[in-house]
Every structure is written in C-alpha cells, then in structure tokens.
Amino acid sequence: MLYANSFFCISSHCKKRIGLFGLFLFLGACSFSEKTHVDIKHHKLLIGITVDQMRFDYLQRFDTLFIHPNGFKRLTQQGVNFTQTKYSYFPTYTGPGHATIFTGANPKHHGIVGNDWYDKSLGKYVYCVSDTTENTIGSNSGAGQMSPHHLLVPSIGDYFKEFFGQTAKVYGISLKDRSAILPTGFNGDAAFWWDGGKQGKFITSTYYMSQIGEWVDQFNESGYADRLLESDWTLSPLLSKLDLDDDLPWERPFKGMKAAVFPYELSKLRLINGDYSLLKQVPQGNELISAFAKKLIENEQLGLDTIPDFLSLSFSATDYVGHRFGTESLELVDVYFKLDKVLGDFFSYLDQKIGRDNYTVFLSSDHGAAPPAGFAMVNLARGGTVNPLDLELELRNYLQNKGLPQTAVRSLINQQIYLDTAISGHQTVEVKKEIISFLKAQPFVEETLDAVVFSTGISAAYNGRHFNAAKAGYHPKRSGDIFYFLKPNWVEYPEGGSTHGSFDDWDRHVPFLLWNSSLNRKHINTPIDVVDIAPTVFEILDFKHPNTFSGISRYPVK
Ligand SMILES: [Zn+2]
C-alpha cells in the first residue's frame, strides 16, 4: 500500500498526510514527460468535471438542447469526444466511479469498492470517506467527519503536488462529500462539500485545515443559498414547447406534492424536504457549485501563476434528479438543459479570468442509470424491484430450514453476501452451496459468483458476463464472499426513479470529453476504459505517467 509509510505534516496545523513523495521536488524535468518541449500553455489550470449519473447517450439525446455556445457544445464540437468510454468493473456507484476517474485505477487497486461496504474485521458498515478521527470545519454538524483515508492509491490531485510541489493548488468541490474528497486525494489543499439540512454551508474537515477560510465563511453567510431556494424550479420555456409528458407514473414526487409536476415551489418544499438539502435535488444545486467554484478560483488564485493547478468539480444534482424522477422524466431533461448553461457561463468566466489558452477541461461521469423499474415493467414487459432487506431475511430463513446457522450471513450489500469468518471450513462449503442455490432460484438473478474464483480462476465452462467486471471491482478485505447479479431492468430500488450499480451498458457507458484551445474536434470511437481517462489527460498535458495508473493514454499519437 503506497501510503503505508506516510507521515503527518509537522509544519502545518492540519493532519493531512504527506506521502513520501510529498517531499516534493521543485518544478523540473521530472514533472513533465521527457519527449516533448513543454509549453505552459493550457497548463495553468486543469479542471476535472464529473456530472453525476450522466449516461453517454445523453450527449446525443440532448444534443439539440445544448444550445449554449460555450457549454457542452464547446466540448463536443471543439474538443475530443471518446464515444465508447465504459466502466469495466462491478458495481457502478458514485464512490468507486469518482475514485476510478481520478486515480486511473479500478476498485481492486484503489479500494473504494462501494459507497459503503461491510468490514468483516470491524463487524460493521464502512462509508467510503468516513473518518471519525476528523471533525467538521465550517459548521456545527458531524458532516465533516470525513477524509480520503480509505483510498489506497494517489489521485490526480496528489500527482499535481508530487510533480509541482506545494505551490501547486489542488481543490475539490461537490454537493457530496465523497465526490469532493476522492478526486482531491491525500495531499490536496482542501475538499469542500455541501452540508445541507439546517446548516446550508460548504464545509470541509480537520483533515485539510483547522479553520474555514474567510472567503468560504463569507460565501456561506452571503445568503446565496437562500436566494436559490427562493426561486422556483420552473420548466425552461424551450422545453415546454417539446410537448413532453410531465406527469409519469414512475416518478417519485417530493414530500408535500401529489405528483411530480412543474413548477416546484422551493420555498415551500424546503420545509419538509430537508431544508438546505433540497438544493441537492434541483438544478439550483448546480448553480451553487459553479458560484462556489468561482469564489474559490478568485480567492485561492487558481490558474494565475506558471505552476499548474487542479480543480475537481462534481455536479451531483443530476444524480438526485435521476434518482427521484428517473431517466425518462421531463425534470431530467430540464436539469441537463440548465446544466449546459451553468457550464457555458463557467467556461466563459474561465476564458475571461484565466485565459482561454491557459486551461484544460475534461468531463466524465461516475456511472450512468437504468430506466425506472416501473417504466421497464410497463413498456418493456420485463424487470422489477428487489428489496435487499427482504432478500437477506429470506436467505437467513432458507439457511435455517437447511439446518445451517442464520448468522452465517453477516451482511448483504452491493449485490454481495458477506459470510461469518467464524464458521468452519466444512460448514463454509455447505453454506456457500446453499446460498448459491437460493440465489439461483430467484427469478431476478442472472448469475452468481463465489469470490474464490478471483484468486483461483474461473472454469473453462463459464459462460457468464460478470467475472472480469466483478474481479476488477473486488478487494479481498472489503468485498463480499458471494456475488449475485440482477437480470437487466431488475433493480434494488423502488419502481419510481432510476438507479445504477449494474454492469449493463446504461450504467457503464459514460462521456469522456476533453478540451483545450489547441485540441481539434475529434471523435474517437474505439472502446476505452474509464481507467484510461487519467493517463489520457496526463498525456495531453505532457505529464509523466505514474505507475499507479492502470490504464493507458488513448489520445492518438500525433
Ligand atoms: Zn453518482
């Protein structure tokens, strides 16, 4: 483990671990690859954008709606569009997705095997960025007890610090803690995320700093979030002309509403829908991220000097809207239409502030989304919903009826079953056999795998489609003992709204767009892996290729 020898920063008030490579080298020959002349052009700032739950096909589906000249259109029409970028592991969730994009490695290496997983040695669930040794900076809630300490390899942010020293600035921003923290890595200056509920503040943790910066405090006290919540979420006029049905049976309305229909009166809805957390579920949440990012760029002076800086922005509102209203909803169309304007305004701001020739942008997503189960059942006559709590209960009862201990099953999460380590070898064989038999009898299970095959290898007779993906997503200390995979359109989720996690194309296939002012429009249609994103971006920037990157650069040799 690369960070096993890391130590704490003694010259700083923070508890941030500075890896051995954190004894940084001055900007020099080893920062960049040796083969080409290095030009500071495009290097002042790298912006890594994640649009949470954005499927690749949304670029095509919403193409005529992305009308801002500097929004998605700039990336797709003036940049490089890798049209076949897919995740190669299972399961496809937010934590693993962000870790994979920004470490260039799969979960088997970076260790973020889910948003949560079961830790057998601790006997409890672990959240991917939880850290109870840290405390909140910026509010009086516990939402800041977070750090990247579960991550096992460096992120892009860490390599900026290694290559260019502490004067390289590295920040991450998101409404979600995990989406801010994982891209920023161990040695980033700070990750900021949204503390909703009654707080309504961007916060960080003691891992990064001992007190919140003055400008963050000013932003939090500025009333900006309240102003966003005073504006209603109305359907964009252009979309009202499309004559799409607003009221679908497979949406999940906000509390206090009978149907999921425009307009949404946020000032009323906030009272019974999580107060400031409501901003996560509406397009205004994306405006909040953009506004905070601009303040950060100005106050931390990103992209001004000749030392490259890195900023990760993860837009989460798209994910919450997808989860609540689903892939088929008008609300989803509207949140993307409005995000296009947010991105367009943000890139215009960067042109003016940093200079159009001085920065590079890449955009991807942490996973896609399946159609709502209700939609699939009605329109495709297949699929359905599975309640994992019921499944776990039924499994325990099944084992008991077979004369085996119910307690043999410690946990069921992420379509994986964790067994009690205390059961004996002979009984383990029997328990596994019965669990697999139980799972295979379920009408919604496509395939099962015993995790031992990830070390012993799979039989020649294997004809499933999940072995390689599950192996790439498997960490022996964090993953389960038995995997099961749902048939397409079956979800561990309600009938309304969309979810993700599967190895089906709608969850795997994501955008990868790359832009700076020197790149020419190009569509690259050869299949690439999400672990190739970080190496490709580094190739474009002429940075050397770290050995923790599993992928390869997919940018065509000039
Ligand atoms: Zn996500």
Side-chain angles (χ1 to χ4, degrees), residues 45 104 127 159 281 294 384 393 445 472 482:
L45 182 61
Y127 176 55
Y159 284 115
Q281 305 191 48
K294 289 176 186 172
L393 203 61
V445 171
I482 292 168

Side-chain angles (χ1 to χ4, degrees), residues 36-295:
T36 51
H37 167 73
V38 173
D39 185 350
I40 195 62
K41 203 175 176 189
H42 313 309
H43 291 80
K44 289 188 172 180
L45 182 61
L46 171 66
I47 308 252
I49 294 176
T50 312
V51 180
D52 202 313
Q53 204 187 106
M54 183 173 183
R55 289 175 9 179
F56 171 78
D57 67 300
Y58 290 174
L59 286 174
Q60 299 158 326
R61 182 176 159 196
F62 304 140
D63 183 57
T64 55
L65 300 176
F66 289 155
I67 54 176
H68 195 299
N70 287 336
F72 280 104
K73 277 258 167 345
R74 176 193 279 197
L75 305 181
T76 55
Q77 295 197 347
Q78 300 169 34
V80 187
N81 184 350
F82 297 83
T83 64
Q84 293 293 327
T85 307
K86 295 184 183 181
Y87 283 93
S88 60
Y89 63 78
F90 170 94
T92 44
Y93 293 121
T94 297
H98 281 79
T100 300
I101 295 168
F102 292 92
T103 63
N106 274 325
K108 71 174 177 179
H109 290 129
H110 63 59
I112 306 299
V113 297
N115 290 335
D116 303 88
W117 58 83
Y118 185 74
D119 187 312
K120 285 203 245 183
S121 62
L122 298 174
K124 63 177 189 181
Y125 290 96
V126 170
Y127 176 55
C128 63
V129 289
S130 69
D131 188 344
T132 52
T133 67
E134 304 293 352
N135 286 304
T136 309
I137 295 293
S139 82
N140 55 19
S141 83
Q145 292 195 294
M146 306 286 166
S147 85
H149 80 119
H150 292 304
L151 189 65
L152 302 179
V153 296
S155 78
I156 286 179
D158 289 313
Y159 284 115
F160 270 65
K161 291 289 189 183
E162 181 189 1
F163 292 166
F164 308 113
Q166 290 303 317
T167 46
K169 294 157 194 141
V170 171
Y171 288 93
I173 301 171
S174 179
L175 296 179
K176 294 182 181 177
D177 44 27
R178 57 191 179 277
S179 309
I181 291 168
L182 296 169
T184 311
F186 299 92
N187 294 326
D189 295 288
F192 294 103
W193 57 95
W194 184 243
D195 191 0
K198 298 278 172 216
Q199 300 289 337
K201 291 180 166 73
F202 276 101
I203 59 166
T204 185
S205 95
T206 45
Y207 179 81
Y208 301 102
M209 57 183 70
S210 58
Q211 62 181 55
I212 203 84
E214 200 178 330
W215 68 266
V216 181
D217 201 35
Q218 282 173 3
F219 184 89
N220 285 338
E221 298 304 321
S222 69
Y224 184 74
D226 285 301
R227 287 197 292 284
L228 289 177
L229 285 166
E230 280 157 19
S231 63
D232 289 344
W233 177 11
T234 55
L235 182 63
S236 303
L238 184 74
L239 304 193
S240 60
K241 293 178 193 155
L242 298 178
D243 199 26
L244 294 170
D245 199 353
D246 186 9
D247 190 10
L248 303 172
W250 34 82
E251 298 176 285
R252 290 184 299 136
F254 283 116
K255 282 184 197 160
M257 290 183 77
K258 288 200 172 65
V261 290
F262 289 101
Y264 294 94
E265 293 181 77
L266 304 190
S267 57
K268 283 186 187 164
L269 287 174
R270 70 182 287 184
L271 303 175
I272 49 170
N273 287 274
D275 205 346
Y276 287 103
S277 295
L278 179 61
L279 282 169
K280 296 180 180 179
Q281 305 191 48
V282 295
Q284 285 86 338
N286 292 332
E287 292 182 52
L288 183 64
I289 290 296
S290 171
F292 188 74
K294 289 176 186 172
K295 287 286 179 214

Side-chain angles (χ1 to χ4, degrees), residues 335-405:
V335 76
Y336 278 94
F337 180 75
K338 287 178 171 141
L339 176 62
D340 180 52
K341 183 173 184 315
V342 167
L343 289 178
D345 290 346
F346 185 69
F347 295 147
S348 303
Y349 164 87
L350 291 177
D351 290 351
Q352 181 260 323
K353 196 81 188 169
I354 312 292
R356 185 181 163 87
D357 292 335
N358 293 327
Y359 68 98
T360 295
V361 175
F362 71 94
L363 182 148
S364 190
S365 181
D366 54 343
H367 52 76
F375 171 87
M377 287 190 285
V378 171
N379 291 292
L380 309 173
R382 64 166 187 249
T385 65
V386 179
N387 183 333
L389 296 175
D390 291 346
L391 187 65
E392 184 174 351
L393 203 61
E394 285 170 31
L395 174 58
R396 287 177 196 275
N397 289 338
Y398 176 88
L399 290 177
Q400 190 175 37
N401 291 337
K402 294 285 176 183
L404 294 164

